[in-house]
Amino acid sequence: IISITKIDQYQTPYTITTMMKLAIASLLAGSAAAFAPSPMAKTSSAMNAFTAADLPGALAPMGFFDPLGFADGADEKTLKKYREAEVTHGRVAMLAVIGFFVGEAVEGSSFLFDAQISGPAITHFTQVPDGWDALIVTMIGAAEAQRAQIGWVDPADGQYDQPGLLRDDYYPGDIGFDPLGLRPEDPEELN
């Protein structure tokens, strides 16, 4: 029988922390079954029927991952709005991360603004000279207006009690931007 004091002399704070992390990871992995996809059969007769089970990204072993149940009472149009918001915010977040990396990499050596922008990337935007922020906001507004014209129903054509409807033939996130031609032509390849 090994005494407690013998075990304690071989355990360092590092090994205890590692053991705790492994215990938490095993608990989380074991509880993944609680988030198994629920059966949903809401479809439309449209060619691009949009159901939770058919969403791109619903992969094994998790399937459709919705632990908070946002899609439980959602119809096709609401699911399309959720997916549009998810894809758009994901793209903005990815661009922001790239912006941070580039800002840190070229700090002090960029030809822009005579290399006067310095310090951590989180402070770079506040160091941009006056007037440039208005240009940036204008470019963001133009991009959002273009995206709205592609994906949303014109408010004059919609119902007053259903603002922000997406077009029936619009697939969330597909604004036609593919300069490298990477998107497959066959719809089955997208799944």
Side-chain angles (χ1 to χ4, degrees), residues 14-166:
Y14 174 75
T15 57
I16 293 172
T17 304
T18 304
M19 288 171 48
M20 292 297 284
K21 287 180 183 177
L22 288 173
I24 291 171
S26 64
L27 286 172
L28 291 175
S31 65
F35 301 112
S38 60
M40 293 193 60
K42 296 180 180 104
T43 62
S44 76
S45 59
M47 182 178 247
N48 64 343
F50 208 81
T51 65
D54 297 335
L55 287 175
L59 303 173
M62 295 302 292
F64 178 66
F65 185 72
D66 184 24
L68 299 179
F70 289 125
D72 287 346
D75 60 352
E76 178 184 333
K77 291 180 180 186
T78 306
L79 279 176
K80 284 178 83 168
K81 276 194 210 178
Y82 288 166
R83 178 48 64 106
E84 176 69 21
E86 177 185 14
V87 169
T88 302
H89 289 98
R91 288 174 178 167
V92 169
M94 289 186 277
L95 286 173
V97 168
I98 290 172
F100 266 70
F101 288 151
V102 169
E104 291 284 339
V106 301
E107 181 226 339
S109 64
S110 174
F111 65 92
L112 292 173
F113 314 121
D114 297 327
Q116 66 186 8
I117 295 178
S118 62
I122 193 75
T123 65
H124 287 184
F125 189 73
T126 59
Q127 297 177 40
V128 173
D130 291 336
W132 283 93
D133 51 353
L135 178 65
I136 292 169
V137 169
T138 303
M139 289 176 18
I140 292 170
E144 286 294 314
Q146 179 69 20
R147 188 171 67 92
Q149 289 177 346
I150 293 171
W152 272 265
V153 173
D154 186 355
D157 298 336
Q159 298 175 352
Y160 71 92
D161 61 338
Q162 293 181 345
L165 287 178
L166 294 175

